[in-house]
Amino acid sequence: MWAAAPLLLLLLLLVPLARRCRRGAARLEPAGRAVLITGCDSGFGHLLALRLHRLGFTVFAGCLCPGGDGARRLQREAGGADRLRVLRLDVTRARDVRAAKELVLSHLPERGFWGLVNNAGISTFGETGWLPMETYEKFADVNLLGSIRTTLAFLPLLRKYKGRIVFMSSIIAYFALGNGIYSMTKAAIEKFCDALRLEMKKFGVRVCIIQPGNYARSTKIQPPVSAEEIWSELSEEEKAVYNKEYVQERADFFNSILSEGSTNGSEVVDAMVDALTSPAPKARYMVAKLKEKALVFVCALFPTFVMDSVLSYALSK
């Protein structure tokens, strides 16, 4: 352990220097560069598409429902400009991903393809045995395989133009509290990014992860849960183990967490923009409240039983 102390000291001394260099370097010129964003119907994707458009990027805004209210509002807010194109993109469909790539290739601006933002995602609530296998498959396909599917399709372009790949993760990647299925997919995408980041360095491609805290009120990714609906969908085996009162308690607890979510989604968008435009982007951007960061700190540095005790206490309250 002591043999590594000089290296750790050197790293600590280099961090302030790296930050000063990062602040002093020139930021990217957006004009003539294209970015594709998934999940732009609402939430962070919607906000980011408008922000990047205002900055001067050519934006390809992937929407699950290109004829829906969110997509139409996006086009209105962009003023119908040619630099923002709304396209159908269901990340679970290889056909949609191929069509998106063809559209991008046919409308590339002069400086080429700069960024891919894997933002599309879904969330739900439920203890492990409450959810059917079909739900696990759907979440894995959207939150994990969808990002991988889109990334693989655009890797050749990203390598060619030495661009950026941004993934939407969450602090929930570190711990689970009533939404283990969402936590599972975010933890998996983090590991995928860790491998990809190292592999892409030799090509000059940067890979960044955004880790928001609780922004449920900003994104509407997770609507309030209904204990009645949960109970009605439980199998008979689960109903024999749990009762309605327990389900109601868990639903109330989860809804209380949702109600505490931040409404300032621009904080997360700021991090996404920095990941795309900074001359020295961070590998991870954690955008969270102090107590949320403290939970991550405990989870990362303390034995598992400590974190289990903290979360069990929270659930008991």
Side-chain angles (χ1 to χ4, degrees):
M1 180 181 73
W2 295 112
L7 178 59
L8 291 173
L9 180 60
L10 177 62
L11 289 173
L12 288 173
L13 292 173
L14 287 175
V15 166
L17 178 61
R19 285 176 176 169
R20 283 197 295 271
C21 292
R22 187 172 179 269
R23 286 195 298 267
R27 299 187 75 81
L28 178 85
E29 173 53 52
R33 288 185 166 92
V35 176
L36 172 70
I37 311 166
T38 67
C40 293
D41 301 80
S42 61
F44 298 137
H46 190 102
L47 295 173
L48 179 64
L50 292 172
R51 179 83 69 87
L52 294 183
H53 174 257
R54 287 197 295 267
L55 288 174
F57 283 99
T58 295
V59 179
F60 294 90
C63 292
L64 183 62
C65 302
D69 291 341
R72 290 200 300 269
R73 190 173 71 253
L74 183 59
Q75 290 174 314
R76 286 198 306 271
E77 291 167 335
D82 290 339
R83 281 191 300 100
L84 191 148
R85 294 177 179 272
V86 171
L87 62 145
R88 174 180 172 79
L89 183 51
D90 179 345
V91 296
T92 69
R93 295 161 59 98
R95 183 174 60 189
D96 279 15
V97 175
R98 286 194 300 269
K101 184 177 180 181
E102 290 171 4
L103 180 68
V104 169
L105 284 170
S106 62
H107 294 87
L108 270 183
E110 60 271 20
R111 290 181 175 174
F113 189 69
W114 176 250
L116 169 64
V117 181
N118 287 300
N119 168 74
I122 54 176
S123 178
T124 193
F125 164 81
E127 296 197 2
T128 303
W130 297 1
L131 304 171
M133 189 61 203
E134 292 78 12
T135 301
Y136 283 92
E137 291 171 346
K138 178 180 178 181
F139 269 72
D141 204 9
V142 176
N143 292 359
L144 174 60
L145 299 180
S147 292
I148 296 173
R149 186 176 291 112
T150 310
T151 298
L152 293 179
F154 284 89
L155 266 186
L157 275 176
L158 291 160
R159 285 194 294 253
K160 178 179 179 179
Y161 293 103
K162 302 183 187 303
R164 305 279 171 90
I165 316 175
V166 180
F167 289 84
M168 181 58 69
S169 181
S170 170
I171 63 167
I172 291 296
Y174 294 93
F175 56 87
L177 199 60
N179 54 351
I181 190 170
Y182 184 70
S183 177
M184 171 194 76
T185 59
K186 293 306 181 182
I189 206 67
E190 293 255 349
K191 293 301 104 182
F192 174 75
C193 291
D194 285 344
L196 186 66
R197 185 177 61 254
L198 293 175
E199 294 165 3
M200 289 298 106
K201 274 189 174 182
K202 57 183 173 285
F203 300 108
V205 176
R206 304 294 186 93
V207 178
C208 305
I209 303 172
I210 311 297
Q211 300 172 318
N214 183 0
Y215 282 84
R217 293 168 66 199
S218 298
T219 64
K220 304 296 190 296
I221 187 174
Q222 173 64 69
V225 299
S226 164
E228 283 295 328
E229 289 181 8
I230 295 171
W231 180 258
S232 67
E233 293 174 2
L234 289 184
S235 66
E236 292 305 316
E237 290 88 348
E238 294 300 308
K239 287 181 178 178
V241 175
Y242 299 96
N243 56 45
K244 282 188 176 181
E245 289 74 18
Y246 178 84
V247 174
Q248 185 68 61
E249 288 174 1
R250 294 281 71 81
D252 290 344
F253 172 77
F254 194 69
N255 286 335
S256 71
I257 293 177
L258 296 178
S259 68
E260 295 173 0
S262 173
T263 58
N264 188 10
S266 62
E267 297 170 340
V268 178
V269 175
D270 290 343
M272 299 165 85
V273 170
D274 192 80
L276 288 166
T277 62
S278 170
K282 301 176 185 178
R284 282 177 167 83
Y285 291 80
M286 186 175 293
V287 190
K289 298 175 183 176
L290 182 59
K291 66 178 182 179
E292 293 170 331
K293 292 180 178 179
L295 273 177
V296 173
F297 178 81
V298 171
C299 185
L301 298 182
F302 284 76
T304 301
F305 81 87
V306 175
M307 192 62 181
D308 285 352
S309 298
V310 170
L311 297 180
S312 294
Y313 177 78
L315 285 168
S316 71
K317 296 298 179 181

